[in-house]
Amino acid sequence: MRRYRIPLYTLLVNALVVVLAAALSLTFSAQQAQAATVTVQAESSTAQSGVVWEGTADTGGGQNAAFLADGDWMRFDNVDLGAAGRLTVSARIASAVGSGTVELRTAGLTGPLLAVIPVSPTGGWQNWATQATEVTTHPAGSQTVFAVLRSTTPNDFVNINWFSFVGPGDDAAAGWVPVDQAKWNAQLAEFRAMTPAAVPAGVVRVPEFNATCTYSHSKPDDPIVLPGLPGASHMHSFFGNKSTDAFSTTQSLLASTPTSCTPAKDLSAYWIPTLYERNTAVEPEGMIVYYGSRLPDPSVTVPFPQGFRMIAGSAKTQTPTPAGSPGQFWCAGEGGEIGRSADGNWPVCAPKAHLTHQLVFPDCWDGKHLDSPDHKSHVAFTYDGKCSGAYPVAIPNLSFVTSYPTSGSAEGFKLASGMASSIHGDFFNAWDNAALGHRVRDCINQKAKCNSAGTF
């Protein structure tokens, strides 16, 4: 067993807390009845087996369920799952060792399976991460939900702080978010009516423009994956719109003009997991967001619709990245890479070189949705030099090039999401339509390299 068991008097005190929380949960559920997002704290369980409560170091404080092993369970009454349809189910977990799953069932311990949430090590018993899964069908309305722990090892393998259930009533939070066809058609008409600027002689014929950004702020928020849940995410480093937080929407971004990017007409939000060196955050010295095209004929590319969202990479990818691995971090500057970290996953840069990464996003769109349940299914990468089939619309090929003011060492680094392979990025479009449209028309469509100002 990994830790000592808590004395009986502590359990009795915590049991009283659970009873009070259970009493409050009825009121809590009634307040949630009209909400699309329901967050259920672990300590609000009305019955449990094998569970011990302890103070949590997670954002928001309170208690988490601890010492959870195979066969342990918790019961939650009056959980409002909303209307039938898609549901994103998340669990806030921490684990130092082992792996397993959390089975969420309705009606009983062996009742209908609602969702299965995978558990893998997060780096410590108080190192918290959010694991989510998508459910396509589920019972509607108020339900009794059982969380049943499953693992092939006999030891404790996970702590749980809370569960969340995000239904189709909050399309921007999870689900297929349809594009407003009237607005999109108007944006397209405005774009197609633009007269391309004349390309001067000598301009590099590469379809590209960029937004040059500096670091803005850090928050454990993710308005795409976990909207309306401040502190529910691992730490992110944000660029662009300085107002970005868990509650950001298309409207809020467009209404808030301060941005850390040039041009000022780009009010979009960009974010990546925070990098740590010796447990200290290392914020990027800058990020260049490139907008380009990999198509042989970039003239078919159209702008992103306002409110468009997508994610590249995955926080769930936790695999080694030895030298030569695709999509790895690298060293930019004089001397380049001079070695590898002790675990082989990170480059060690020469004194005048800096740690750098480039993250590439999909460049074909289904033309129908601003977002999808996994924030990826509405987009795809170019195949055979074109966008076709279920993804017929060519959009700018977005990429984040991020530079950090550090050369690293044999100790290596870690991301807020885990290993180097877990690097990922989020894009929430809030460009001024005309500013974005002119850049796509002048630079990408004409295969001409432009600067941050959108000029040649």
Side-chain angles (χ1 to χ4, degrees):
M1 193 60 63
R2 60 180 163 90
R3 294 170 288 185
Y4 61 85
R5 292 284 177 176
I6 295 177
L8 179 60
Y9 72 86
T10 303
L11 294 178
L12 292 173
V13 172
N14 285 332
L16 177 60
V17 172
V18 172
V19 170
L20 292 173
L24 291 172
S25 69
L26 293 175
T27 301
F28 180 61
S29 294
Q31 292 172 339
Q32 293 170 335
Q34 300 303 316
T37 300
V38 175
T39 301
V40 178
Q41 299 292 336
E43 64 262 37
S44 69
S45 64
T46 51
Q48 60 280 319
S49 175
V51 181
V52 173
W53 310 101
E54 65 180 5
T56 182
D58 197 12
T59 302
Q63 292 185 311
N64 62 255
F67 300 100
L68 300 176
D70 181 56
D72 292 345
W73 56 268
M74 293 177 281
R75 190 188 84 201
F76 302 92
D77 294 337
N78 303 307
V79 178
D80 183 10
L81 299 184
R86 283 185 170 85
L87 186 71
T88 298
V89 181
S90 304
R92 186 69 168 170
I93 64 170
S95 175
V97 296
S99 60
T101 59
V102 182
E103 293 180 356
L104 293 178
R105 296 180 177 274
T106 56
L109 288 171
T110 59
L113 186 64
L114 175 65
V116 176
I117 299 174
V119 173
S120 57
T122 62
W125 296 112
Q126 289 296 323
N127 288 354
W128 294 93
T130 303
Q131 291 281 18
T133 188
E134 303 294 332
V135 176
T136 56
T137 59
H138 64 87
S142 182
Q143 301 290 328
T144 297
V145 175
F146 286 79
V148 185
L149 286 300
R150 298 298 185 197
S151 178
T152 57
T153 62
N155 297 327
D156 305 333
F157 73 100
V158 69
N159 292 345
I160 299 176
N161 193 9
W162 49 253
F163 297 98
S164 74
F165 304 85
V166 182
D170 188 356
D171 285 338
W176 295 95
V177 182
V179 67
D180 185 317
Q181 285 297 331
K183 288 184 179 180
W184 174 232
N185 289 339
Q187 183 181 345
L188 272 181
E190 179 186 4
F191 167 70
R192 299 194 190 285
M194 292 175 178
T195 301
V199 181
V203 169
V204 177
R205 303 311 293 238
V206 173
E208 177 188 293
F209 66 92
N210 68 71
T212 303
C213 307
T214 57
Y215 163 75
S216 174
H217 61 282
S218 296
K219 281 181 177 289
D221 291 0
D222 192 324
I224 291 179
V225 177
L226 296 165
L229 295 174
S233 172
H234 51 250
M235 191 65 71
H236 283 112
S237 299
F238 289 87
F239 303 79
N241 200 300
K242 293 185 177 182
S243 72
T244 311
D245 61 18
F247 300 99
S248 293
T249 63
T250 306
Q251 291 70 31
S252 73
L253 294 175
L254 291 171
S256 180
T257 56
T259 176
S260 70
C261 291
T262 300
K265 292 288 188 178
D266 179 13
L267 298 178
S268 303
Y270 311 95
W271 62 96
I272 55 176
T274 300
L275 181 78
Y276 290 89
E277 184 174 11
R278 299 186 182 94
N279 295 318
T280 299
V282 180
E283 299 300 354
E285 53 194 343
M287 173 192 283
I288 301 178
V289 182
Y290 287 99
Y291 290 74
S293 175
R294 299 183 300 157
L295 299 175
D297 178 14
S299 67
V300 298
T301 306
V302 298
F304 296 105
Q306 272 190 352
F308 182 88
R309 283 147 274 181
M310 65 176 169
I311 294 176
S314 173
K316 297 180 181 180
T317 303
Q318 306 285 341
T319 58
T321 50
S325 300
Q328 66 179 201
F329 286 77
W330 49 285
C331 300
E334 183 180 339
E337 181 177 322
I338 59 174
R340 303 292 293 179
S341 59
D343 62 8
N345 293 328
W346 299 91
V348 178
C349 305
K352 293 185 179 181
H354 287 180
L355 185 71
T356 306
H357 188 268
Q358 182 172 13
L359 183 67
V360 180
F361 287 72
D363 49 356
C364 297
W365 175 43
D366 68 3
K368 301 176 182 178
H369 301 98
L370 298 176
D371 200 2
S372 52
D374 61 358
H375 318 293
K376 296 180 178 181
S377 293
H378 60 310
V379 290
F381 285 98
T382 303
Y383 178 74
D384 198 24
K386 60 184 178 181
C387 295
S388 60
Y391 306 95
V393 182
I395 50 178
N397 183 207
L398 196 70
S399 66
F400 294 174
V401 178
T402 311
S403 177
Y404 297 88
T406 180
S407 298
S409 67
E411 296 178 56
F413 303 89
K414 67 176 180 180
L415 293 169
S417 51
M419 298 175 69
S421 57
S422 71
I423 183 67
H424 57 284
D426 299 56
F427 168 55
F428 198 138
N429 177 44
W431 273 86
D432 172 81
N433 280 342
L436 179 61
H438 280 295
R439 285 166 171 79
V440 173
R441 175 63 89 199
D442 295 346
C443 313
I444 294 181
N445 288 171
Q446 297 191 108
K447 203 173 185 179
K449 185 177 178 67
C450 295
N451 54 29
S452 299
T455 56
F456 306 111

